[in-house]
Amino acid sequence: MTVLAACATSTQDEILVYSEGSYVEASRFQEYRTLAELAADSEAVVEVTYREGEIVHDEWGFAHVEVDVLASHRGDVEAGDTIIVRTDLLQPGEAYESRPDLTPAIATGRDFLLFLSPLTFGDAELDARWPDEWVVQGYLAGYYEIGPDDVIHRLDPESPDIPATFDRSVLLASIEKADGVSD
């Protein structure tokens, strides 16, 4: 399965909507049908906001993006922490030469819900090079935008079984189900 991401948004109050037609492509190892499945595979579930500053890219083109944690729903990350997320999606201040109209995956002034796992390569030298970094679980399946009304919006068009919008009570129930707390 291939993720194709493009955004259609023009104002701060609109939600980033991804659909076919972009130049961002990646393969997925697993398709998620529920938030509980996604939470079960994630070590942290956090609400974040983009931390303005320089975005560092590695030699493979991945961005290492600093975000401030607003709330933590699962894992050892806490509200008030600053973490680094490694991603190959478009970031603030970046544009594709062929599509300068695309909106970044993590945009300034917007809050996001991310399902995260630690960045590991299985190689001691590479793991030591980027300690304490995170990757978004399930590629685009792990990115959600929190709207101005506190409604959480699914950005991924390839996970149609996950609700397009939901609130924190649905999120928390899904995390409890992933942890085996409820049915």
Side-chain angles (χ1 to χ4, degrees):
M1 182 178 296
T2 300
V3 176
L4 299 172
C7 305
T9 185
S10 59
T11 69
Q12 192 71 359
D13 293 336
E14 292 180 37
I15 301 303
L16 299 174
V17 178
Y18 288 79
S19 61
E20 290 187 27
S22 168
Y23 300 92
V24 177
E25 297 185 28
S27 295
R28 291 186 197 206
F29 293 110
Q30 179 172 347
E31 181 177 325
Y32 291 98
R33 298 195 183 283
T34 67
L35 289 171
E37 287 177 357
L38 187 56
D41 283 353
S42 304
E43 286 198 29
V45 179
V46 295
E47 295 180 30
V48 301
T49 192
Y50 167 67
R51 177 180 206 130
E52 291 199 44
E54 182 181 352
I55 296 175
V56 176
H57 288 83
D58 60 31
E59 62 267 29
W60 299 292
F62 288 92
H64 299 259
V65 182
E66 284 191 356
V67 293
D68 290 324
V69 178
L70 303 172
S72 178
H73 301 292
R74 184 173 202 235
D76 293 333
V77 178
E78 296 181 11
D81 288 351
T82 297
I83 61 173
I84 299 174
V85 177
R86 182 179 192 255
T87 181
D88 64 346
L89 295 177
L90 192 63
Q91 298 304 311
E94 297 179 345
Y96 296 111
E97 287 181 26
S98 58
R99 291 292 307 274
D101 59 315
L102 295 182
T103 301
I106 297 177
T108 304
R110 295 171 186 253
D111 297 338
F112 293 88
L113 172 71
L114 301 178
F115 289 77
L116 300 171
S117 293
L119 171 64
T120 57
F121 293 94
D123 175 278
E125 185 178 324
L126 289 174
D127 288 343
R129 187 171 169 193
W130 292 291
D132 303 321
E133 288 196 18
W134 298 87
V135 292
V136 178
Q137 186 68 36
Y139 197 64
L140 194 54
Y143 283 94
Y144 296 81
E145 184 173 351
I146 303 169
D149 53 0
D150 276 346
V151 172
I152 301 167
H153 300 262
R154 174 177 46 88
L155 300 180
D156 182 13
E158 302 277 336
S159 296
D161 294 334
I162 294 176
T165 60
F166 53 93
D167 62 23
R168 284 181 184 85
S169 66
V170 170
L171 171 67
L172 296 176
S174 296
I175 292 170
E176 285 181 359
K177 185 173 184 176
D179 292 339
V181 175
S182 67
D183 298 315

mmCIF file with all atom_site columns, all heavy atoms in Angstrom, residues 45-48 68-74 77-80 113 168:
data_model
loop_
_atom_site.group_PDB
_atom_site.id
_atom_site.type_symbol
_atom_site.label_atom_id
_atom_site.label_alt_id
_atom_site.label_comp_id
_atom_site.label_asym_id
_atom_site.label_entity_id
_atom_site.label_seq_id
_atom_site.pdbx_PDB_ins_code
_atom_site.Cartn_x
_atom_site.Cartn_y
_atom_site.Cartn_z
_atom_site.occupancy
_atom_site.B_iso_or_equiv
_atom_site.pdbx_formal_charge
_atom_site.auth_seq_id
_atom_site.auth_comp_id
_atom_site.auth_asym_id
_atom_site.auth_atom_id
_atom_site.pdbx_PDB_model_num
ATOM 1   N N   . VAL A 1 45  ? 1.467   8.053  22.990 1.00 0.00 ? 45  VAL A N   1
ATOM 2   C CA  . VAL A 1 45  ? 0.391   8.750  22.278 1.00 0.00 ? 45  VAL A CA  1
ATOM 3   C C   . VAL A 1 45  ? 0.337   10.142 22.898 1.00 0.00 ? 45  VAL A C   1
ATOM 4   O O   . VAL A 1 45  ? 0.047   10.279 24.089 1.00 0.00 ? 45  VAL A O   1
ATOM 5   C CB  . VAL A 1 45  ? -0.967  8.030  22.427 1.00 0.00 ? 45  VAL A CB  1
ATOM 6   C CG1 . VAL A 1 45  ? -2.064  8.795  21.690 1.00 0.00 ? 45  VAL A CG1 1
ATOM 7   C CG2 . VAL A 1 45  ? -0.878  6.585  21.916 1.00 0.00 ? 45  VAL A CG2 1
ATOM 8   N N   . VAL A 1 46  ? 0.676   11.155 22.094 1.00 0.00 ? 46  VAL A N   1
ATOM 9   C CA  . VAL A 1 46  ? 0.852   12.498 22.627 1.00 0.00 ? 46  VAL A CA  1
ATOM 10  C C   . VAL A 1 46  ? 0.198   13.559 21.742 1.00 0.00 ? 46  VAL A C   1
ATOM 11  O O   . VAL A 1 46  ? 0.062   13.377 20.542 1.00 0.00 ? 46  VAL A O   1
ATOM 12  C CB  . VAL A 1 46  ? 2.349   12.844 22.793 1.00 0.00 ? 46  VAL A CB  1
ATOM 13  C CG1 . VAL A 1 46  ? 3.001   11.948 23.835 1.00 0.00 ? 46  VAL A CG1 1
ATOM 14  C CG2 . VAL A 1 46  ? 3.100   12.751 21.482 1.00 0.00 ? 46  VAL A CG2 1
ATOM 15  N N   . GLU A 1 47  ? -0.185  14.651 22.385 1.00 0.00 ? 47  GLU A N   1
ATOM 16  C CA  . GLU A 1 47  ? -0.621  15.846 21.673 1.00 0.00 ? 47  GLU A CA  1
ATOM 17  C C   . GLU A 1 47  ? 0.573   16.785 21.644 1.00 0.00 ? 47  GLU A C   1
ATOM 18  O O   . GLU A 1 47  ? 1.232   16.996 22.670 1.00 0.00 ? 47  GLU A O   1
ATOM 19  C CB  . GLU A 1 47  ? -1.798  16.501 22.386 1.00 0.00 ? 47  GLU A CB  1
ATOM 20  C CG  . GLU A 1 47  ? -3.034  15.638 22.379 1.00 0.00 ? 47  GLU A CG  1
ATOM 21  C CD  . GLU A 1 47  ? -4.213  16.291 23.095 1.00 0.00 ? 47  GLU A CD  1
ATOM 22  O OE1 . GLU A 1 47  ? -4.309  17.533 23.108 1.00 0.00 ? 47  GLU A OE1 1
ATOM 23  O OE2 . GLU A 1 47  ? -5.032  15.535 23.649 1.00 0.00 ? 47  GLU A OE2 1
ATOM 24  N N   . VAL A 1 48  ? 0.864   17.331 20.467 1.00 0.00 ? 48  VAL A N   1
ATOM 25  C CA  . VAL A 1 48  ? 2.055   18.166 20.309 1.00 0.00 ? 48  VAL A CA  1
ATOM 26  C C   . VAL A 1 48  ? 1.742   19.420 19.503 1.00 0.00 ? 48  VAL A C   1
ATOM 27  O O   . VAL A 1 48  ? 0.727   19.499 18.814 1.00 0.00 ? 48  VAL A O   1
ATOM 28  C CB  . VAL A 1 48  ? 3.199   17.392 19.600 1.00 0.00 ? 48  VAL A CB  1
ATOM 29  C CG1 . VAL A 1 48  ? 3.585   16.140 20.374 1.00 0.00 ? 48  VAL A CG1 1
ATOM 30  C CG2 . VAL A 1 48  ? 2.845   17.063 18.158 1.00 0.00 ? 48  VAL A CG2 1
ATOM 31  N N   . ASP A 1 68  ? 6.753   20.347 20.936 1.00 0.00 ? 68  ASP A N   1
ATOM 32  C CA  . ASP A 1 68  ? 6.470   20.466 22.365 1.00 0.00 ? 68  ASP A CA  1
ATOM 33  C C   . ASP A 1 68  ? 5.265   19.602 22.686 1.00 0.00 ? 68  ASP A C   1
ATOM 34  O O   . ASP A 1 68  ? 4.245   19.655 21.994 1.00 0.00 ? 68  ASP A O   1
ATOM 35  C CB  . ASP A 1 68  ? 6.168   21.924 22.738 1.00 0.00 ? 68  ASP A CB  1
ATOM 36  C CG  . ASP A 1 68  ? 7.412   22.808 22.644 1.00 0.00 ? 68  ASP A CG  1
ATOM 37  O OD1 . ASP A 1 68  ? 8.508   22.325 22.959 1.00 0.00 ? 68  ASP A OD1 1
ATOM 38  O OD2 . ASP A 1 68  ? 7.266   23.977 22.251 1.00 0.00 ? 68  ASP A OD2 1
ATOM 39  N N   . VAL A 1 69  ? 5.384   18.802 23.739 1.00 0.00 ? 69  VAL A N   1
ATOM 40  C CA  . VAL A 1 69  ? 4.301   17.917 24.150 1.00 0.00 ? 69  VAL A CA  1
ATOM 41  C C   . VAL A 1 69  ? 3.309   18.719 24.993 1.00 0.00 ? 69  VAL A C   1
ATOM 42  O O   . VAL A 1 69  ? 3.656   19.280 26.026 1.00 0.00 ? 69  VAL A O   1
ATOM 43  C CB  . VAL A 1 69  ? 4.844   16.709 24.935 1.00 0.00 ? 69  VAL A CB  1
ATOM 44  C CG1 . VAL A 1 69  ? 3.705   15.815 25.410 1.00 0.00 ? 69  VAL A CG1 1
ATOM 45  C CG2 . VAL A 1 69  ? 5.840   15.926 24.084 1.00 0.00 ? 69  VAL A CG2 1
ATOM 46  N N   . LEU A 1 70  ? 2.064   18.763 24.530 1.00 0.00 ? 70  LEU A N   1
ATOM 47  C CA  . LEU A 1 70  ? 0.988   19.470 25.238 1.00 0.00 ? 70  LEU A CA  1
ATOM 48  C C   . LEU A 1 70  ? 0.291   18.554 26.233 1.00 0.00 ? 70  LEU A C   1
ATOM 49  O O   . LEU A 1 70  ? -0.135  18.997 27.299 1.00 0.00 ? 70  LEU A O   1
ATOM 50  C CB  . LEU A 1 70  ? -0.026  20.017 24.234 1.00 0.00 ? 70  LEU A CB  1
ATOM 51  C CG  . LEU A 1 70  ? 0.536   20.957 23.169 1.00 0.00 ? 70  LEU A CG  1
ATOM 52  C CD1 . LEU A 1 70  ? -0.526  21.264 22.124 1.00 0.00 ? 70  LEU A CD1 1
ATOM 53  C CD2 . LEU A 1 70  ? 1.062   22.227 23.815 1.00 0.00 ? 70  LEU A CD2 1
ATOM 54  N N   . ALA A 1 71  ? 0.139   17.275 25.847 1.00 0.00 ? 71  ALA A N   1
ATOM 55  C CA  . ALA A 1 71  ? -0.520  16.286 26.701 1.00 0.00 ? 71  ALA A CA  1
ATOM 56  C C   . ALA A 1 71  ? -0.014  14.905 26.306 1.00 0.00 ? 71  ALA A C   1
ATOM 57  O O   . ALA A 1 71  ? 0.282   14.664 25.140 1.00 0.00 ? 71  ALA A O   1
ATOM 58  C CB  . ALA A 1 71  ? -2.040  16.353 26.543 1.00 0.00 ? 71  ALA A CB  1
ATOM 59  N N   . SER A 1 72  ? 0.090   14.025 27.286 1.00 0.00 ? 72  SER A N   1
ATOM 60  C CA  . SER A 1 72  ? 0.499   12.651 27.032 1.00 0.00 ? 72  SER A CA  1
ATOM 61  C C   . SER A 1 72  ? -0.617  11.712 27.472 1.00 0.00 ? 72  SER A C   1
ATOM 62  O O   . SER A 1 72  ? -1.097  11.802 28.593 1.00 0.00 ? 72  SER A O   1
ATOM 63  C CB  . SER A 1 72  ? 1.789   12.329 27.795 1.00 0.00 ? 72  SER A CB  1
ATOM 64  O OG  . SER A 1 72  ? 2.151   10.989 27.574 1.00 0.00 ? 72  SER A OG  1
ATOM 65  N N   . HIS A 1 73  ? -1.032  10.836 26.570 1.00 0.00 ? 73  HIS A N   1
ATOM 66  C CA  . HIS A 1 73  ? -2.104  9.893  26.866 1.00 0.00 ? 73  HIS A CA  1
ATOM 67  C C   . HIS A 1 73  ? -1.592  8.476  27.086 1.00 0.00 ? 73  HIS A C   1
ATOM 68  O O   . HIS A 1 73  ? -2.328  7.618  27.565 1.00 0.00 ? 73  HIS A O   1
ATOM 69  C CB  . HIS A 1 73  ? -3.139  9.900  25.734 1.00 0.00 ? 73  HIS A CB  1
ATOM 70  C CG  . HIS A 1 73  ? -3.747  11.242 25.509 1.00 0.00 ? 73  HIS A CG  1
ATOM 71  N ND1 . HIS A 1 73  ? -4.584  11.839 26.423 1.00 0.00 ? 73  HIS A ND1 1
ATOM 72  C CD2 . HIS A 1 73  ? -3.602  12.133 24.494 1.00 0.00 ? 73  HIS A CD2 1
ATOM 73  C CE1 . HIS A 1 73  ? -4.961  13.020 25.979 1.00 0.00 ? 73  HIS A CE1 1
ATOM 74  N NE2 . HIS A 1 73  ? -4.378  13.227 24.809 1.00 0.00 ? 73  HIS A NE2 1
ATOM 75  N N   . ARG A 1 74  ? -0.320  8.264  26.723 1.00 0.00 ? 74  ARG A N   1
ATOM 76  C CA  . ARG A 1 74  ? 0.270   6.932  26.891 1.00 0.00 ? 74  ARG A CA  1
ATOM 77  C C   . ARG A 1 74  ? 1.782   7.062  26.770 1.00 0.00 ? 74  ARG A C   1
ATOM 78  O O   . ARG A 1 74  ? 2.281   7.827  25.969 1.00 0.00 ? 74  ARG A O   1
ATOM 79  C CB  . ARG A 1 74  ? -0.246  5.994  25.816 1.00 0.00 ? 74  ARG A CB  1
ATOM 80  C CG  . ARG A 1 74  ? 0.239   4.573  25.956 1.00 0.00 ? 74  ARG A CG  1
ATOM 81  C CD  . ARG A 1 74  ? -0.481  3.704  24.944 1.00 0.00 ? 74  ARG A CD  1
ATOM 82  N NE  . ARG A 1 74  ? -0.465  2.347  25.350 1.00 0.00 ? 74  ARG A NE  1
ATOM 83  C CZ  . ARG A 1 74  ? -0.008  1.358  24.603 1.00 0.00 ? 74  ARG A CZ  1
ATOM 84  N NH1 . ARG A 1 74  ? 0.447   1.595  23.398 1.00 0.00 ? 74  ARG A NH1 1
ATOM 85  N NH2 . ARG A 1 74  ? -0.032  0.130  25.052 1.00 0.00 ? 74  ARG A NH2 1
ATOM 86  N N   . VAL A 1 77  ? 6.563   9.809  27.856 1.00 0.00 ? 77  VAL A N   1
ATOM 87  C CA  . VAL A 1 77  ? 6.672   11.223 27.499 1.00 0.00 ? 77  VAL A CA  1
ATOM 88  C C   . VAL A 1 77  ? 5.640   11.996 28.321 1.00 0.00 ? 77  VAL A C   1
ATOM 89  O O   . VAL A 1 77  ? 4.519   11.532 28.522 1.00 0.00 ? 77  VAL A O   1
ATOM 90  C CB  . VAL A 1 77  ? 6.414   11.418 25.992 1.00 0.00 ? 77  VAL A CB  1
ATOM 91  C CG1 . VAL A 1 77  ? 6.480   12.875 25.607 1.00 0.00 ? 77  VAL A CG1 1
ATOM 92  C CG2 . VAL A 1 77  ? 7.392   10.595 25.172 1.00 0.00 ? 77  VAL A CG2 1
ATOM 93  N N   . GLU A 1 78  ? 6.030   13.183 28.802 1.00 0.00 ? 78  GLU A N   1
ATOM 94  C CA  . GLU A 1 78  ? 5.138   13.969 29.653 1.00 0.00 ? 78  GLU A CA  1
ATOM 95  C C   . GLU A 1 78  ? 4.841   15.331 29.035 1.00 0.00 ? 78  GLU A C   1
ATOM 96  O O   . GLU A 1 78  ? 5.647   15.861 28.269 1.00 0.00 ? 78  GLU A O   1
ATOM 97  C CB  . GLU A 1 78  ? 5.776   14.164 31.021 1.00 0.00 ? 78  GLU A CB  1
ATOM 98  C CG  . GLU A 1 78  ? 5.981   12.869 31.778 1.00 0.00 ? 78  GLU A CG  1
ATOM 99  C CD  . GLU A 1 78  ? 6.587   13.087 33.149 1.00 0.00 ? 78  GLU A CD  1
ATOM 100 O OE1 . GLU A 1 78  ? 6.655   14.245 33.608 1.00 0.00 ? 78  GLU A OE1 1
ATOM 101 O OE2 . GLU A 1 78  ? 6.989   12.094 33.758 1.00 0.00 ? 78  GLU A OE2 1
ATOM 102 N N   . ALA A 1 79  ? 3.702   15.899 29.425 1.00 0.00 ? 79  ALA A N   1
ATOM 103 C CA  . ALA A 1 79  ? 3.368   17.264 29.013 1.00 0.00 ? 79  ALA A CA  1
ATOM 104 C C   . ALA A 1 79  ? 4.494   18.182 29.461 1.00 0.00 ? 79  ALA A C   1
ATOM 105 O O   . ALA A 1 79  ? 5.021   18.040 30.561 1.00 0.00 ? 79  ALA A O   1
ATOM 106 C CB  . ALA A 1 79  ? 2.037   17.692 29.617 1.00 0.00 ? 79  ALA A CB  1
ATOM 107 N N   . GLY A 1 80  ? 4.899   19.096 28.586 1.00 0.00 ? 80  GLY A N   1
ATOM 108 C CA  . GLY A 1 80  ? 5.992   20.007 28.875 1.00 0.00 ? 80  GLY A CA  1
ATOM 109 C C   . GLY A 1 80  ? 7.324   19.549 28.291 1.00 0.00 ? 80  GLY A C   1
ATOM 110 O O   . GLY A 1 80  ? 8.257   20.341 28.180 1.00 0.00 ? 80  GLY A O   1
ATOM 111 N N   . LEU A 1 113 ? -2.112  15.164 17.251 1.00 0.00 ? 113 LEU A N   1
ATOM 112 C CA  . LEU A 1 113 ? -2.063  13.944 18.043 1.00 0.00 ? 113 LEU A CA  1
ATOM 113 C C   . LEU A 1 113 ? -1.177  12.992 17.261 1.00 0.00 ? 113 LEU A C   1
ATOM 114 O O   . LEU A 1 113 ? -1.413  12.770 16.066 1.00 0.00 ? 113 LEU A O   1
ATOM 115 C CB  . LEU A 1 113 ? -3.471  13.355 18.202 1.00 0.00 ? 113 LEU A CB  1
ATOM 116 C CG  . LEU A 1 113 ? -3.555  11.979 18.846 1.00 0.00 ? 113 LEU A CG  1
ATOM 117 C CD1 . LEU A 1 113 ? -3.209  12.082 20.336 1.00 0.00 ? 113 LEU A CD1 1
ATOM 118 C CD2 . LEU A 1 113 ? -4.942  11.396 18.659 1.00 0.00 ? 113 LEU A CD2 1
ATOM 119 N N   . ARG A 1 168 ? -11.605 13.172 22.517 1.00 0.00 ? 168 ARG A N   1
ATOM 120 C CA  . ARG A 1 168 ? -10.641 12.538 23.420 1.00 0.00 ? 168 ARG A CA  1
ATOM 121 C C   . ARG A 1 168 ? -11.232 11.336 24.156 1.00 0.00 ? 168 ARG A C   1
ATOM 122 O O   . ARG A 1 168 ? -10.492 10.421 24.510 1.00 0.00 ? 168 ARG A O   1
ATOM 123 C CB  . ARG A 1 168 ? -10.088 13.568 24.404 1.00 0.00 ? 168 ARG A CB  1
ATOM 124 C CG  . ARG A 1 168 ? -9.070  14.481 23.746 1.00 0.00 ? 168 ARG A CG  1
ATOM 125 C CD  . ARG A 1 168 ? -8.491  15.501 24.709 1.00 0.00 ? 168 ARG A CD  1
ATOM 126 N NE  . ARG A 1 168 ? -7.595  16.408 24.030 1.00 0.00 ? 168 ARG A NE  1
ATOM 127 C CZ  . ARG A 1 168 ? -7.971  17.504 23.393 1.00 0.00 ? 168 ARG A CZ  1
ATOM 128 N NH1 . ARG A 1 168 ? -9.242  17.849 23.335 1.00 0.00 ? 168 ARG A NH1 1
ATOM 129 N NH2 . ARG A 1 168 ? -7.076  18.278 22.798 1.00 0.00 ? 168 ARG A NH2 1
#
